[in-house]
């Protein structure tokens, strides 16, 4: 009976993980930088808030920027809610920048999809290459102005 229950529980966990929405990010990490020297028995922690207050978990994360530079940020967890993407972005300027860039790209993609002339230009190889060359020369000109 135990074996059957273990299999059912294991299958249930696997099913929960596989059903995770594709637009979600799973962040799995050790949430403290310091490893304990020896196990510690702590009494009196009765609520989740007590546990977070006592342990004050945090993690140093190293992000790689588009230019290849490494950027270190510390994310702190003071409640279960702090594990949400929204709460992590509130603490982390790198994640805020990535989310902002993503929103800008989505707006541009939406605007491009609505522009029938641009859509036709992009579907024609010759016209698309001409547009790309024009954009590259405009970027060079802007850089020379600075």
């Amino acid at each position: 009976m135990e074996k059957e229950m273990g299999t059912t529980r294991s299958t249930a966990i696997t099913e929960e993980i596989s059903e995770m929405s594709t637009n979600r990010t799973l962040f799995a990490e050790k949430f403290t930088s310091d490893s304990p020297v020896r196990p510690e028995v702590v009494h009196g922690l009765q609520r989740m808030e007590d546990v977070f207050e006592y342990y004050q978990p945090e993690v140093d994360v190293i992000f790689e920027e588009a230019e290849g530079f490494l950027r270190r940020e510390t994310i702190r967890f003071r409640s279960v809610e702090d594990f949400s993407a929204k709460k992590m972005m509130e603490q982390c300027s790198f994640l805020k920048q990535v989310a902002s860039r993503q929103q800008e790209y989505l707006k541009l993609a939406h605007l491009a999809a609505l522009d029938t002339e641009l859509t036709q230009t992009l579907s024609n190889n010759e016209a698309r290459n001409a547009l790309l060359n024009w954009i590259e020369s405009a970027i060079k000109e802007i850089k020379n102005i600075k």
Side-chain angles (χ1 to χ4, degrees), residues 107-121:
K107 286 178 189 176
L108 285 173
H110 179 70
L111 289 173
L114 294 176
D115 189 331
T116 55
E117 189 175 328
L118 179 60
T119 303
Q120 289 174 352
T121 301

Side-chain angles (χ1 to χ4, degrees), residues 86-134:
K86 179 182 176 188
K87 289 290 189 172
M88 283 192 233
M89 277 193 280
E90 287 175 5
Q91 291 187 55
C92 182
S93 61
F94 178 82
L95 292 177
K96 284 180 196 174
Q97 289 174 352
V98 169
S100 175
R101 239 182 266 137
Q102 179 187 26
Q103 288 302 315
E104 290 173 20
Y105 293 150
L106 289 173
K107 286 178 189 176
L108 285 173
H110 179 70
L111 289 173
L114 294 176
D115 189 331
T116 55
E117 189 175 328
L118 179 60
T119 303
Q120 289 174 352
T121 301
L122 294 175
S123 65
N124 178 319
N125 282 340
E126 192 174 308
R128 181 176 58 240
N129 288 334
L131 177 62
L132 182 59
N133 289 334
W134 178 82

Side-chain angles (χ1 to χ4, degrees), residues 18-143:
S18 65
E19 291 178 14
M20 226 173 105
S21 182
T22 57
N23 66 346
R24 302 276 186 219
T25 300
L26 176 63
F27 190 80
E29 180 70 44
K30 184 175 101 175
F31 292 104
T32 58
S33 297
D34 302 326
S35 298
V37 177
R38 59 185 169 82
E40 176 184 6
V41 177
V42 179
H43 299 284
L45 304 178
Q46 298 181 358
R47 302 171 305 145
M48 286 298 287
E49 293 84 12
D50 298 336
V51 174
F52 280 101
E53 186 177 324
Y54 180 82
Y55 287 103
Q56 298 185 355
E58 61 183 38
V59 64
D60 291 327
V61 182
I62 298 174
F63 296 102
E64 184 175 348
E65 296 182 6
E67 300 82 20
F69 299 110
L70 298 180
R71 185 167 167 179
R72 177 187 218 116
E73 296 209 28
T74 301
I75 301 176
R76 292 171 178 79
F77 305 93
R78 299 300 177 247
S79 69
V80 174
E81 295 165 346
D82 289 342
F83 289 90
S84 71
K86 179 182 176 188
K87 289 290 189 172
M88 283 192 233
M89 277 193 280
E90 287 175 5
Q91 291 187 55
C92 182
S93 61
F94 178 82
L95 292 177
K96 284 180 196 174
Q97 289 174 352
V98 169
S100 175
R101 239 182 266 137
Q102 179 187 26
Q103 288 302 315
E104 290 173 20
Y105 293 150
L106 289 173
K107 286 178 189 176
L108 285 173
H110 179 70
L111 289 173
L114 294 176
D115 189 331
T116 55
E117 189 175 328
L118 179 60
T119 303
Q120 289 174 352
T121 301
L122 294 175
S123 65
N124 178 319
N125 282 340
E126 192 174 308
R128 181 176 58 240
N129 288 334
L131 177 62
L132 182 59
N133 289 334
W134 178 82
I135 292 171
E136 288 172 345
S137 66
I139 290 171
K140 286 178 187 175
E141 190 175 319
I142 291 170
K143 285 183 178 180

